[in-house]
Amino acid sequence: MSTNFSEYIQAFEKTLKSVFHERDDINKFSSQRGLPPLVMREVMSGNPLSVAIPENYGGRGIKVKECLGILASAAYESLPLSLTFGINIGLFLEPVAKYANEIVKKDIFQRFLTKQNMGGLMITEPDHGSGALNMQTSFTEKDDRFHIKGTKHWQGLTGLADYWLITSRHQKQDGQLGRDIDFFICDVTQKNQQVVVEEYYDNLGLYMIPYGKNKLDLQIPKNFKLNPETTGIKMMLDILHRSRMQFPGMGLGFIKRLMDEALNQCKNRIVGGKSLISYDQVQFQISKIQSAFTICSAFCSRSSTKSSIENDLSADGIEANSVKTIVTDLMQESAQTLVQLSGAKGYRLSHIGGRGIVDSRPFQIFEGANEMLYTQISEMVIKLMKKKKEFNLFQFLKNFDLTSKASEFFKKQTNFSLNTDLPQRKLVDLGRAIGRIVSAGLVIDLAEKGFRKDLIENCLSSLQQDISNLIYSYHNSSKISSVDEYQDGSSWLEFS
């Protein structure tokens, strides 16, 4: 495909505008389950998923910049549509392009290009959410086929995807499951590869995307197993880290839409004889959304050079976790802000703000709950500090690649000796702060490339404020814990 990308993306955006605004109403679609097939067919008419297909198979070449561009343009109109693309790109097409047997790639990519097929990923199980290494889905090998049995749930595109990447552990002869994880490509159109949907979930948001519980009893041909470069666990980390580093594409388009809506609302809404935007608190709230937009822009720029399938991202946990957590927190915060600025009309499913709250909320949970990922950031940093025998946080950040440029901005807050034996709540606080310092470093990189100066300065000031609050919380010695047997003596009626 030789079309210039700027022309390609403009044509795609024109299609979205035509489908969602001129002929139909995206607000109407977004309050109903699923998306009408005719609408989806038109959205897919320009082959937006071709950005994640190699050129030698008829695609646009898996350029990260183009993948993020498609995600951002889709998210500006519909976050669920962008997530649908994100699932296909980050969790199916890119892993297939990197790890699948050459024999099976051609047919898969052709079906995506000519038949608008879709693919998803199955990792999560009812009894093992974030604990992927404990999954119980198992496989045995016989007669050049892998027999997979198990139950998966909360897979985006349940009952809709034509292909699935399925994670499983090898069942040994004694019935025990191996420690490593393998990935298999399931083609639901083939005999003995049908995924049985036992239940569709009533997901709170993201109505366009079906989720549910899937029963697996599959016979997968030998060629349809992914080939890791070392271990399956490292392959899984590479896939998940690359996917997390594409969240900024979805986040950018979504936040840009919220920012535009907020500016339009506040310029035109008159309260007390003057426009909302003239109020100081409103200025502050809009500046926070603009800061989020700037951070997502910085992440997109970084991911464009970092997260190509040619690179092994399995060891890049600090960066990938920082990107995923910060972007998704900013998405939720920005949606909450728009609803606040919009007043009563924002609290509707048919309003981009109200809908944005429930649509962006699960982003903080799936692919690793943010509290867990913040904890991991802290644990990885502490491990590096112990290895370098450097326990002053500022000195460590000053010499750490991801934070070296930003470290001076936060010297006052971070110039202390870190206790390496921390309770989880402190690890979360610390991880939140480190993630934002990583963000600041990438914002500075973006500034050096010529990004708008006033947005950069506002963003860094906002991050400084956030990090100061988080470091204060980290230092706070409060040890509040839950009260299990709270019933006795806790009814106000007895004391009134």
Side-chain angles (χ1 to χ4, degrees):
M1 292 191 175
S2 58
T3 309
N4 178 282
F5 184 64
S6 62
E7 296 173 5
Y8 181 78
I9 200 75
Q10 283 174 15
F12 176 61
E13 290 172 353
K14 186 177 179 182
T15 297
L16 292 180
K17 186 178 179 183
S18 171
V19 171
F20 291 147
H21 298 288
E22 293 171 5
R23 288 203 307 280
D24 286 296
D25 182 8
I26 182 63
N27 292 321
K28 179 184 71 176
F29 292 147
S30 299
S31 61
Q32 301 167 357
R33 298 282 173 183
L35 190 66
L38 284 174
V39 173
M40 196 61 180
R41 196 174 304 154
E42 188 159 358
V43 168
M44 299 297 289
S45 62
N47 272 333
L49 296 180
S50 64
V51 295
I53 294 174
E55 283 186 273
N56 55 320
Y57 290 101
R60 293 189 60 87
I62 325 185
K63 301 179 184 74
V64 178
K65 178 180 176 179
E66 296 193 2
C67 293
L68 296 178
I70 284 289
L71 294 177
S73 292
Y76 189 86
E77 300 294 349
S78 166
L79 187 56
L81 177 65
S82 185
L83 178 56
T84 297
F85 290 159
I87 292 167
N88 276 277
I89 293 170
L91 300 179
F92 186 79
L93 288 169
E94 287 180 334
V96 166
K98 182 167 184 175
Y99 293 110
N101 194 310
E102 291 295 332
I103 297 170
V104 307
K105 288 183 184 180
K106 183 177 180 181
D107 184 57
I108 292 172
F109 292 142
Q110 278 301 303
R111 280 172 52 183
F112 270 78
L113 290 170
T114 61
K115 297 183 179 179
Q116 300 178 344
N117 274 195
M118 290 200 175
L121 172 66
M122 291 188 176
I123 295 181
T124 310
E125 299 181 359
D127 295 325
H128 303 281
S130 297
L133 300 183
N134 296 310
M135 70 177 66
Q136 296 303 296
T137 301
S138 63
F139 72 89
T140 54
E141 186 177 354
K142 185 179 179 182
D143 300 331
D144 288 339
R145 286 186 174 269
F146 296 101
H147 184 195
I148 299 175
K149 297 192 74 172
T151 301
K152 302 286 190 180
H153 81 156
W154 280 113
Q155 279 72 50
L157 308 179
T158 290
L160 185 63
D162 307 275
Y163 288 102
W164 289 101
L165 269 187
I166 297 174
T167 55
S168 180
R169 294 164 67 195
H170 181 233
Q171 186 177 44
K172 302 172 186 176
Q173 287 188 336
D174 62 2
Q176 296 294 311
L177 299 183
R179 293 187 63 183
D180 205 12
I181 291 171
D182 285 291
F183 285 70
F184 301 88
I185 303 169
C186 170
D187 177 355
V188 301
T189 67
Q190 300 301 308
K191 185 181 177 183
N192 297 323
Q193 294 189 49
Q194 286 79 37
V195 173
V196 178
V197 181
E198 290 193 323
E199 179 186 358
Y200 282 103
Y201 294 154
D202 56 341
N203 37 296
L204 180 62
L206 301 171
Y207 280 7
M208 193 183 293
I209 305 175
Y211 290 88
K213 184 163 74 169
N214 299 290
K215 190 79 171 177
L216 309 178
D217 189 353
L218 313 168
Q219 301 282 344
I220 306 294
K222 200 166 188 177
N223 288 333
F224 284 74
K225 178 178 176 288
L226 296 193
N227 304 307
E229 292 171 351
T230 52
T231 66
I233 291 174
K234 280 196 172 182
M235 177 169 63
M236 181 172 73
L237 287 172
D238 178 51
I239 291 169
L240 291 178
H241 289 168
R242 182 169 294 100
S243 173
R244 287 170 189 166
M245 291 188 72
Q246 293 191 12
F247 273 54
M250 294 180 279
L252 181 68
F254 178 67
I255 289 169
K256 186 176 189 296
R257 174 65 180 278
L258 301 179
M259 181 171 67
D260 289 347
E261 294 283 346
L263 285 167
N264 183 58
Q265 160 74 3
C266 295
K267 286 176 182 176
N268 294 305
R269 178 68 166 170
I270 305 300
V271 177
K274 55 183 182 179
S275 64
L276 266 181
I277 203 163
S278 63
Y279 288 88
D280 178 63
Q281 174 63 12
V282 171
Q283 286 275 330
F284 173 70
Q285 288 173 292
I286 290 178
S287 76
K288 295 293 284 186
I289 302 179
Q290 291 180 329
S291 174
F293 168 77
T294 306
I295 292 169
C296 282
S297 298
F299 283 150
C300 284
S301 180
R302 169 71 171 183
S303 291
S304 294
T305 59
K306 173 82 176 181
S307 65
S308 163
I309 62 169
E310 278 76 37
N311 296 332
D312 176 12
L313 304 184
S314 62
D316 291 300
I318 293 175
E319 182 169 0
N321 285 10
S322 296
V323 169
K324 190 270 182 184
T325 50
I326 301 299
V327 168
T328 56
D329 279 355
L330 293 174
M331 290 166 70
Q332 176 67 192
E333 290 165 15
S334 298
Q336 294 279 359
T337 299
L338 177 60
V339 169
Q340 190 72 19
L341 293 171
S342 300
K345 71 177 182 181
Y347 193 65
R348 298 172 66 177
L349 191 58
S350 58
H351 187 275
I352 185 70
R355 187 165 70 246
I357 288 175
V358 289
D359 282 349
S360 64
R361 185 63 180 93
F363 281 71
Q364 296 174 294
I365 302 169
F366 59 56
E367 278 204 41
N370 282 8
E371 286 77 7
M372 181 185 79
L373 298 185
Y374 282 129
T375 302
Q376 289 177 359
I377 290 170
S378 293
E379 289 172 342
M380 287 184 277
V381 164
I382 288 170
K383 186 176 180 181
L384 287 173
M385 293 177 82
K386 287 180 176 177
K387 188 176 180 181
K388 295 181 178 181
K389 295 183 171 58
E390 175 57 79
F391 298 102
N392 180 281
L393 183 58
F394 167 70
Q395 291 298 332
F396 171 80
L397 296 172
K398 187 178 178 181
N399 296 297
F400 183 52
D401 175 50
L402 289 171
T403 55
S404 57
K405 283 185 182 178
S407 59
E408 289 293 338
F409 278 82
F410 310 105
K411 182 175 182 178
K412 181 180 176 183
Q413 294 92 338
T414 60
N415 194 13
F416 62 89
S417 183
L418 192 70
N419 177 5
T420 59
D421 184 21
L422 294 169
Q424 189 187 10
R425 70 183 71 181
K426 296 303 180 186
L427 291 172
V428 172
D429 284 340
L430 181 63
R432 287 185 196 276
I434 292 171
R436 281 154 180 80
I437 296 170
V438 170
S439 305
L442 298 180
V443 168
I444 292 169
D445 285 341
L446 187 64
E448 292 172 353
K449 295 176 181 178
F451 197 79
R452 186 174 172 130
K453 189 178 178 182
D454 50 3
L455 288 176
I456 295 286
E457 290 174 350
N458 286 351
C459 179
L460 290 174
S461 295
S462 180
L463 281 168
Q464 222 160 10
Q465 188 177 47
D466 291 344
I467 290 162
S468 292
N469 291 336
L470 288 165
I471 294 296
Y472 174 80
S473 178
Y474 165 82
H475 285 304
N476 189 332
S477 60
S478 171
K479 294 183 179 179
I480 303 167
S481 57
S482 61
V483 178
D484 294 339
E485 301 297 331
Y486 74 91
Q487 290 88 349
D488 290 342
S490 63
S491 172
W492 68 271
L493 292 168
E494 297 173 14
F495 310 106
S496 304

